Amino acid sequence: RVELAESGGGSVQAGGSLRLSCAVSGGTDSMYRLGWFRQPPGKEREGVASIDNDGTTSYADSVKGRFTISSDNIKRTLFLQMNNLKLEDTATYICAAVRADYRGDWYAAVRYYKLDAWGQGVQVTVSS
């Protein structure tokens, strides 16, 4: 079973940047699609970005052009580079995995609780 552990959250002023990391252990890389979702305070969870085994990435419209998802397959680490952070990006960010044969997209997997594994999450707070 794959296990995930995030690091790198914190507080930053609007317009600033943060880089989140997620260490991946267990499982087999080809079996999973990895990504990030977030849980804003008092709101529903939402998918942020995902990356497939072939390197194909996808982003939520709210973060396109500002966030970049990447992975280091040798070190089995997933990253989320967040630039030009906005107040509305404040949330707990969670690294997660869904089986590669899941037929829906990342955002459906998040919305309908189809994820197979997820980490504890890290807090990102953006202030004015």
Side-chain angles (χ1 to χ4, degrees), residues 67-111:
F67 290 13
T68 302
I69 189 170
S70 62
S71 65
D72 182 334
N73 293 331
I74 295 176
K75 295 183 179 180
R76 302 192 77 195
T77 305
L78 184 70
F79 302 101
L80 186 68
Q81 178 66 43
M82 306 185 293
N83 297 331
N84 191 21
L85 283 160
K86 302 178 179 181
L87 297 179
E88 53 264 38
D89 294 320
T90 294
T92 299
Y93 285 72
I94 302 106
C95 171
V98 66
R99 288 183 63 90
D101 59 0
Y102 174 69
R103 295 188 176 186
D105 64 19
W106 177 253
Y107 310 95
V110 171
R111 187 181 308 118

Side-chain angles (χ1 to χ4, degrees), residues 15-113:
S17 299
L18 281 174
R19 189 191 198 203
L20 306 183
S21 299
C22 175
V24 181
S25 60
T28 302
D29 290 345
S30 62
M31 292 177 60
Y32 295 98
R33 178 188 311 163
L34 299 177
W36 297 87
F37 69 95
R38 64 188 180 185
Q39 180 89 59
K43 296 183 180 180
E44 293 291 322
R45 57 168 58 179
E46 60 174 342
V48 173
S50 70
I51 185 166
D52 290 348
N53 289 318
D54 64 1
T56 301
T57 58
S58 72
Y59 297 92
D61 288 342
S62 58
V63 307
K64 279 180 182 176
R66 300 188 298 120
F67 290 13
T68 302
I69 189 170
S70 62
S71 65
D72 182 334
N73 293 331
I74 295 176
K75 295 183 179 180
R76 302 192 77 195
T77 305
L78 184 70
F79 302 101
L80 186 68
Q81 178 66 43
M82 306 185 293
N83 297 331
N84 191 21
L85 283 160
K86 302 178 179 181
L87 297 179
E88 53 264 38
D89 294 320
T90 294
T92 299
Y93 285 72
I94 302 106
C95 171
V98 66
R99 288 183 63 90
D101 59 0
Y102 174 69
R103 295 188 176 186
D105 64 19
W106 177 253
Y107 310 95
V110 171
R111 187 181 308 118
Y112 300 118
Y113 295 84

